[in-house]
Amino acid sequence: LNLSPLISSRRIDLMREGVDHAIEYTISLHRPKKFWGSREISEVTGVYKFGYRIVTEDYFFSDLSTDSVVERNFLSLARLHQFMVDSINIGLAVIDSLERGKSYFVEIAVTCISLTGLNLADIERADTTGESPIRWLFRGFLDLTDFGREDWKVKSRDFLLSEITPRQ
């Protein structure tokens, strides 16, 4: 998964001001039905967080989808960018479990969220019991306006397994 387009000049400026970013993703594998729609074969969701540490002057990238948070540190923006280009591998389905000769397509939905002091709320959407009325109203404002969020969605063309697996 190439997430490098999410590093824009505006996000770099925000990171250097101490604003971290979160990436929520959903990747799903579908098999088209004969006449209408599709059948979902598998789906993977997750959350990443990336940013800049002002004190140590390094960049970080964390996978928040697992029970133990895995964080990688980078001394330069170029290294973070390169990691986001070619080092994020996400297992979607075991190829041997899929039917040969059938066509499939992949859908990817990505949301990038700027984690400012105002909308820091929660990446994991934790339990909201006991939160203040102001926080609840502000969360409603963020949900309605999508402030600090950018959403992308893409769908691949239909493909056969023989197009992506090596021939034996």
Side-chain angles (χ1 to χ4, degrees), residues 56-116:
T56 57
E57 296 183 346
D58 66 342
Y59 296 87
F60 69 90
F61 188 91
S62 303
D63 184 354
L64 303 178
S65 305
T66 60
D67 292 336
S68 61
V69 177
V70 177
E71 183 173 289
R72 299 182 70 113
N73 297 312
F74 304 94
L75 295 176
S76 69
L77 181 61
R79 296 213 185 249
L80 171 65
H81 187 270
Q82 185 61 42
F83 176 81
M84 291 176 75
V85 167
D86 63 6
S87 299
I88 300 172
N89 297 313
I90 299 170
L92 187 55
V94 178
I95 291 181
D96 293 339
S97 68
L98 302 175
E99 297 179 48
R100 298 228 177 255
K102 301 281 186 177
S103 62
Y104 297 90
F105 67 90
V106 175
E107 285 186 345
I108 302 173
V110 176
T111 300
C112 189
I113 306 164
S114 297
L115 300 175
T116 65

Side-chain angles (χ1 to χ4, degrees), residues 28-33 37-42 92-107 155-165:
S28 54
L29 178 67
H30 298 264
R31 193 169 81 208
K33 289 185 177 177
S38 64
R39 189 179 119 219
E40 185 176 286
I41 306 300
S42 68
L92 187 55
V94 178
I95 291 181
D96 293 339
S97 68
L98 302 175
E99 297 179 48
R100 298 228 177 255
K102 301 281 186 177
S103 62
Y104 297 90
F105 67 90
V106 175
E107 285 186 345
K155 176 183 168 186
S156 74
R157 68 170 176 80
D158 291 357
F159 61 89
L160 298 172
L161 291 179
S162 61
E163 295 179 60
I164 60 170
T165 58

Side-chain angles (χ1 to χ4, degrees), residues 5-24:
L6 299 179
I7 300 180
S8 64
S9 60
R10 175 71 181 137
R11 284 201 182 89
I12 293 170
D13 292 342
L14 286 172
M15 282 192 307
R16 290 194 176 137
E17 292 174 13
V19 177
D20 296 338
H21 294 80
I23 302 167
E24 295 177 333

